[in-house]
């Protein structure tokens, strides 16, 4: 699974981890990806890795789960 958002394309960024003595080592800033089910306009449902900002902004349309009534 790649660490990339399916909607906005957000990927890991690199930066420095700075210690108390100001020694710098490389580190990665990973995006906060969640696996969510997304419903497309034609009705198909697919599981995607999406960042939390895209979930919050409404780019992800979650499918409606219908409860079956017990007869």
């Amino acid at each position: 699974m790649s660490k990339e958002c399916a909607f906005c394309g957000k990927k890991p960024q690199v930066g420095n981890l700075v210690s108390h003595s100001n020694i710098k080592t490389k580190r990665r800033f990973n995006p906060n990806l969640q696996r969510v089910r997304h419903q497309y306009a034609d009705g198909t449902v697919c599981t995607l890795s999406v960042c939390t900002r895209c979930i919050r902004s409404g780019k992800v349309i979650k499918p409606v789960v219908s409860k079956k009534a017990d007869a």
Side-chain angles (χ1 to χ4, degrees):
M1 182 176 88
S2 66
K3 294 188 181 297
E4 183 177 350
C5 178
F7 286 101
C8 64
K10 191 180 287 187
K11 295 179 183 178
Q13 295 180 334
V14 293
N16 287 323
L17 179 72
V18 182
S19 69
H20 179 68
S21 61
N22 210 22
I23 296 173
K24 295 167 183 69
T25 55
K26 286 291 188 181
R27 63 157 291 186
R28 281 174 59 141
F29 291 93
N30 290 321
N32 188 4
L33 296 180
Q34 307 293 322
R35 291 185 56 79
V36 269
R37 295 174 72 226
H38 172 69
Q39 184 172 9
Y40 292 102
D42 60 353
T44 59
V45 177
C46 185
T47 303
L48 301 172
S49 291
V50 183
C51 69
T52 52
R53 179 158 298 190
C54 289
I55 295 172
R56 217 172 43 190
S57 67
K59 292 181 183 176
V60 178
I61 300 167
K62 294 186 178 180
V64 178
V65 179
S66 61
K67 300 269 185 175
K68 293 182 180 178
D70 293 328

